[in-house]
Amino acid sequence: MMLQVEVHHRFPGLALDISFEAAGGVTALFGRSGAGKTTVANAVAGLVRPDSGQIALNGRILSAPGIWTPPYRRRIGYVFQNTRLFPHMSVRKNLLYGAADDRHLPRVMDMLGIDHLLARHPQSLSGGEQQRVAIGRALLMNPELLIMDEPLSALDPARKAEILPWLERLRDEAGLPILYVSHSVAEVARLADRVVLIDAGRVARIGTPDLLLSDPALAPRLGPREAGGVLTGQVTEHADDGLTAIETPAGTLHLAADVAVGRTVRLRISAEDIVLSTRYPQGLSALNILPAQIDALHTEGAQMLVHLRLKGEAALVARITTRSASAMGLAENVRVFAILKSVALIHHS
């Protein structure tokens, strides 16, 4: 699959000047509220007609000067923030609304775990169940591309935790490219293969979640607590004391995780949860200590972002005070040890 997007569009308060390509997997349009993410998604879906530019999907030009393909002919499924299910219809009828036939219904129901909901109506479902039905309806339209616009923003933390594993399964099993709109670093780090960072109507950076979250130059755009990094590893052992060993290119990490041996996981580390030491620390409760080298330092008032290069070309960003950096004599190429106070298991596949 190849999605090619060039959108130029002006409206009150913002001028969009966006260009990117997406080839399979999950491409996240990420940025703060008001950055222009949803407008780009709507332009791809045909819900907004850009002032200029070109949008093409698998070689089919959907939008260009003198060319306009209406939404219903674009073969794009759209899952909105609000599920937009028909309250007077059963789940089954909602799922099949717009579908050519019901041949793929069993597979979609199994993939999303909604087979037991068919006879019910939307008002009797939880927010997470409603969202899974909305995703199923979009899939049954046999699209070439699925757009998901902030699909978890209206859900409370419990419902988000409920639906995220289903989104992972959708990504891994559907074989369908997904354009995922979000301002949540946690969702993007967990689900995305590629991130298009949009800031004030323009593409600020394109890359993988691990590269973007570990780039100190992007910290102001990500938010005060969102920088840090993502490490990918494989579960190698479950110890008798309940801790799980995860082998990453940067070294072995230990944490409590109920994931089968052999599975691949992503680990998200916040910049605030990294302590630096110029010597290997002794007598600490922290178990996860990784050798690193300082690539760069970025001062932010009384604080400093320290870009760390780890083994295997992995990278993290630590946030410390400028006073601490001065006292420790931190500078580029200085070798340090990164002590991880907290590691979040954010994805398993």
Side-chain angles (χ1 to χ4, degrees):
M1 189 286 298
M2 177 60 73
L3 173 67
Q4 298 168 303
V5 177
E6 181 186 346
V7 172
H8 309 288
H9 190 69
R10 289 184 176 273
F11 52 95
L14 187 66
L16 281 181
D17 185 9
I18 300 290
S19 180
F20 67 91
E21 293 184 352
V26 176
T27 299
L29 299 183
F30 173 72
R32 295 177 178 176
S33 296
K37 307 182 300 296
T38 294
T39 302
V40 173
N42 287 342
V44 173
L47 304 180
V48 168
R49 190 163 189 166
D51 295 334
S52 61
Q54 178 173 300
I55 298 171
L57 177 61
N58 294 331
R60 293 187 297 118
I61 297 178
L62 305 179
S63 173
I67 299 175
W68 178 253
T69 303
Y72 67 90
R73 294 184 57 192
R74 296 197 176 199
R75 295 195 63 188
I76 294 175
Y78 205 130
V79 179
F80 298 89
Q81 297 180 38
N82 184 319
T83 59
R84 304 192 183 186
L85 299 177
F86 298 109
H88 63 287
M89 291 184 180
S90 67
V91 165
R92 179 185 176 86
K93 290 183 178 179
N94 267 284
L95 285 168
L96 294 176
Y97 185 86
D101 53 56
D102 62 358
R103 288 180 301 161
H104 301 294
L105 182 59
R107 178 171 177 264
V108 169
M109 289 190 304
D110 177 67
M111 184 167 55
L112 296 171
I114 54 177
D115 53 312
H116 62 294
L117 304 176
L118 289 185
R120 293 168 60 180
H121 284 70
Q123 58 267 32
S124 71
L125 307 179
S126 70
E129 289 170 336
Q130 290 183 28
Q131 199 60 276
R132 279 187 276 158
V133 173
I135 294 169
R137 180 174 62 183
L139 292 176
L140 286 166
M141 296 175 69
N142 195 28
E144 292 183 4
L145 171 72
L146 181 64
I147 296 177
M148 306 185 78
D149 182 16
E150 301 276 9
L152 306 184
S153 63
L155 303 180
D156 59 39
R159 300 290 79 76
K160 288 182 182 180
E162 169 195 325
I163 197 172
L164 272 167
W166 297 106
L167 294 184
E168 290 173 340
R169 188 174 182 185
L170 172 67
R171 177 201 59 204
D172 297 338
E173 297 183 10
L176 182 68
I178 299 173
L179 194 62
Y180 191 93
V181 178
S182 180
H183 66 273
S184 167
V185 168
E187 292 174 29
V188 168
R190 181 166 180 169
L191 297 170
D193 299 299
R194 193 162 179 259
V195 182
V196 179
L197 176 60
I198 298 178
D199 185 31
R202 284 168 170 73
V203 175
R205 192 70 60 84
I206 298 176
T208 58
D210 56 334
L211 290 178
L212 266 64
L213 294 182
S214 64
D215 187 345
L218 297 180
R221 293 186 174 100
L222 297 176
R225 288 192 55 83
E226 304 298 1
V230 175
L231 298 178
T232 301
Q234 188 175 56
V235 177
T236 58
E237 180 188 12
H238 293 298
D240 293 338
D241 61 3
L243 291 180
T244 295
I246 299 172
E247 188 67 34
T248 78
T252 303
L253 301 179
H254 299 86
L255 64 153
D258 185 19
V259 183
V261 170
R263 301 294 289 273
T264 299
V265 298
R266 288 182 188 176
L267 305 169
R268 181 179 170 218
I269 300 108
S270 173
E272 279 77 11
D273 288 329
I274 302 174
V275 175
L276 299 182
S277 174
T278 54
R279 298 180 181 179
Y280 190 87
Q282 302 288 339
L284 294 181
S285 61
L287 295 175
N288 298 311
I289 302 170
L290 300 174
Q293 180 174 304
I294 296 177
D295 260 5
L297 301 98
H298 298 255
T299 301
E300 293 184 342
Q303 293 187 323
M304 180 172 286
L305 290 174
V306 184
H307 188 216
L308 304 169
R309 182 65 56 187
L310 289 72
K311 291 190 302 182
E313 295 304 307
L316 293 175
V317 171
R319 188 188 299 274
I320 64 174
T321 64
T322 54
R323 180 179 298 182
S324 294
S326 177
M328 297 169 66
L330 299 187
E332 290 184 15
N333 299 320
V334 169
R335 295 188 178 279
V336 295
F337 292 92
I339 305 158
L340 311 184
K341 296 189 295 183
S342 176
V343 179
L345 178 71
I346 58 169
H347 163 83
H348 61 87
S349 60

